[in-house]
């Protein structure tokens, strides 16, 4: 796919199930996505977990933008993102962790938990 930027901001119809249905795109070897914009979307923990699971193995995404203060993501959802970045449950999972993602949230380290 040649799609590099996916703008879904301000779309209150996006659900965790909808995000989960995009997983095959995110996990495809031909995925060229660099940026996903999800501003003004209430992801909640279920959406955050679906997104983190869907991005497992993604080798192209470097920026995932959403507003941490209004996205409804708690420690549970942030934990899923943390595991996406560095899954220490096994050597293989650490190797397969997402090493291209540079920004999660709004790009401000003040709004994200310390381990993100």
């Amino acid at each position: 796919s040649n799609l590099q930027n996916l703008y879904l901001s301000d779309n209150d119809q996006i659900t965790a199930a909808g995000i989960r249905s995009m997983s095959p795109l995110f996990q495809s070897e031909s995925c060229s996505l660099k940026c996903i914009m999800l501003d003004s979307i209430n992801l909640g923990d279920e959406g955050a977990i679906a997104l983190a699971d869907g991005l497992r193995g993604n080798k192209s995404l470097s920026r995932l933008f959403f507003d941490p203060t209004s996205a409804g993501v708690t420690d549970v959802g942030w934990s899923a993102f943390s595991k996406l970045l560095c899954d220490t449950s096994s050597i293989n999972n650490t190797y397969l962790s997402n090493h291209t993602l540079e920004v999660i949230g709004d790009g401000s380290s003040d709004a994200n938990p310390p381990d993100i």
Side-chain angles (χ1 to χ4, degrees), residues 76-108:
V76 172
W78 284 111
S79 177
F81 287 130
S82 181
K83 189 172 183 179
L84 169 68
L85 296 174
C86 187
D87 183 351
T88 59
S89 63
S90 73
I91 292 172
N92 193 46
N93 285 349
T94 301
Y95 174 76
L96 294 174
S97 294
N98 187 305
H99 300 287
T100 60
L101 200 50
E102 298 171 1
V103 175
I104 295 179
D106 65 1
S108 166

Side-chain angles (χ1 to χ4, degrees), residues 47-91:
I49 292 167
L51 194 52
D53 288 346
L55 290 171
R56 183 165 276 114
N58 178 281
K59 304 275 189 252
S60 64
L61 192 71
S62 61
R63 296 176 311 279
L64 173 61
F65 289 108
F66 62 89
D67 182 355
T69 57
S70 65
V73 178
T74 69
D75 289 345
V76 172
W78 284 111
S79 177
F81 287 130
S82 181
K83 189 172 183 179
L84 169 68
L85 296 174
C86 187
D87 183 351
T88 59
S89 63
S90 73
I91 292 172

Side-chain angles (χ1 to χ4, degrees), residues 7-78:
Y7 296 95
L8 299 173
S9 298
D10 299 311
N11 187 338
D12 61 358
Q13 301 300 312
I14 300 288
T15 64
I19 291 170
R20 200 170 292 110
S21 72
M22 291 185 268
S23 291
L25 166 68
F26 301 153
Q27 294 173 348
S28 168
E29 287 290 324
S30 64
C31 180
S32 60
L33 273 175
K34 302 286 184 204
C35 177
I36 300 175
M37 299 286 291
L38 298 168
D39 290 323
S40 301
I41 292 178
N42 185 3
L43 289 173
D45 289 333
E46 189 178 349
I49 292 167
L51 194 52
D53 288 346
L55 290 171
R56 183 165 276 114
N58 178 281
K59 304 275 189 252
S60 64
L61 192 71
S62 61
R63 296 176 311 279
L64 173 61
F65 289 108
F66 62 89
D67 182 355
T69 57
S70 65
V73 178
T74 69
D75 289 345
V76 172
W78 284 111

